[in-house]
Amino acid sequence: MADEALVVIDLQNDFCPGGALAVAGGDEIVPLVNDMIRRTDHVVLTQDWHPAGHSSFASSHPGSQPYSTIEMPYGAQTLWPDHCIQGSLGSDFHSGLAWTKAELVIRKGFRPAIDSYSAFFENDPATPTGLAGYLRERGIDTLILVGLATDFCVAFSALDAVKQGFRTTVRLDACRGIDLNGSLETMLARMRDAGVTLEDHTSD
Ligand code: VGL
Ligand code: ZN
């Protein structure tokens, strides 16, 4: 379909087992995502892309532990282990990912003072990445989202996508979540309420 794009969120080494911010089973989705890439005309990837010392890293806040929350000028922010540092092995796409077909790679989280979960807006949530304009200019109005992590970057991307007027489906069988303090259930409900179509083809 000419008006549809597959958006693969953050399928990077640091979010896969062995990585700095490993998501359980993160690597399991690679074969399915590759199948979906093969069957889709337009593919966009996102890449979490932080400078060393990024403000979302617990290590940048002396006395703070990873997975705790702090107040940033733009609101609450979860602190993470150092991850996806620009150009590091951890920031590379999973080596099994068939990424060459991608027409665009959106990098996010490169501003030192602000994190960016969503493919569309940073966490402030006012600074655009440019993705909505890119998709609109290309005549794309329908998005399928897959990748990592279901309850953070995938969910924030999906919520912004519907807000931006895109028909949006998240393929849960091609995602894996972090589930921090019930975040998976919370974000699934928020996506459902916002009009995101949640599909699970696990038993297909
Ligand atoms: C992500 C936490 C920090 C994600 C990125 O890709 O879901 N989560 N940075
Ligand atoms: Zn990050």
Side-chain angles (χ1 to χ4, degrees):
M1 258 177 295
D3 58 357
E4 180 179 295
L6 177 70
V7 184
V8 181
I9 306 287
D10 298 1
L11 198 23
Q12 293 165 262
N13 289 328
D14 268 344
F15 297 121
C16 290
L21 179 34
V23 180
D27 54 341
E28 294 168 6
I29 65 174
V30 171
L32 175 56
V33 171
N34 286 347
D35 266 0
M36 295 176 76
I37 289 173
R38 223 168 288 124
R39 288 187 274 105
T40 312
D41 284 340
H42 301 292
V43 177
V44 172
L45 309 178
T46 70
Q47 189 170 26
D48 211 37
W49 194 249
H50 300 304
H54 191 258
S55 58
S56 74
F57 298 167
S59 62
S60 304
H61 305 269
S64 291
Q65 292 304 311
Y67 307 103
S68 65
T69 305
I70 57 157
E71 268 316 301
M72 298 283 257
Y74 55 81
Q77 170 71 48
T78 303
L79 295 178
W80 304 105
D82 291 19
H83 66 279
C84 295
I85 293 175
Q86 296 168 353
S88 67
L89 203 60
S91 74
D92 283 352
F93 294 115
H94 184 284
S95 61
L97 180 67
W99 54 265
T100 52
K101 188 175 171 181
E103 295 172 347
L104 177 74
V105 178
I106 284 277
R107 287 181 171 152
K108 58 187 184 58
F110 51 76
R111 288 184 178 78
I114 177 163
D115 204 5
S116 186
Y117 295 151
S118 164
F120 293 92
F121 288 95
E122 307 207 2
N123 289 10
D124 47 7
T127 306
T129 62
L131 180 57
Y134 170 88
L135 295 170
R136 273 190 209 111
E137 279 204 68
R138 305 244 359 238
I140 290 164
D141 60 8
T142 301
L143 302 180
I144 313 292
L145 270 63
V146 300
L148 307 171
T150 318
D151 41 345
F152 287 91
C153 291
V154 175
F156 277 69
S157 298
L159 290 170
D160 280 345
V162 286
K163 232 180 272 171
Q164 290 294 308
F166 295 97
R167 206 174 311 127
T168 307
T169 297
V170 170
R171 274 286 300 267
L172 294 172
D173 50 326
C175 296
R176 291 292 183 275
I178 294 173
D179 202 11
L180 193 59
N181 306 315
S183 55
L184 192 53
E185 202 183 324
T186 302
M187 296 312 287
L188 288 174
R190 278 185 62 185
M191 286 192 277
R192 211 175 282 121
D193 291 348
V196 177
T197 302
L198 300 177
E199 288 186 9
D200 191 334
H201 295 202
T202 301
S203 55
D204 287 7

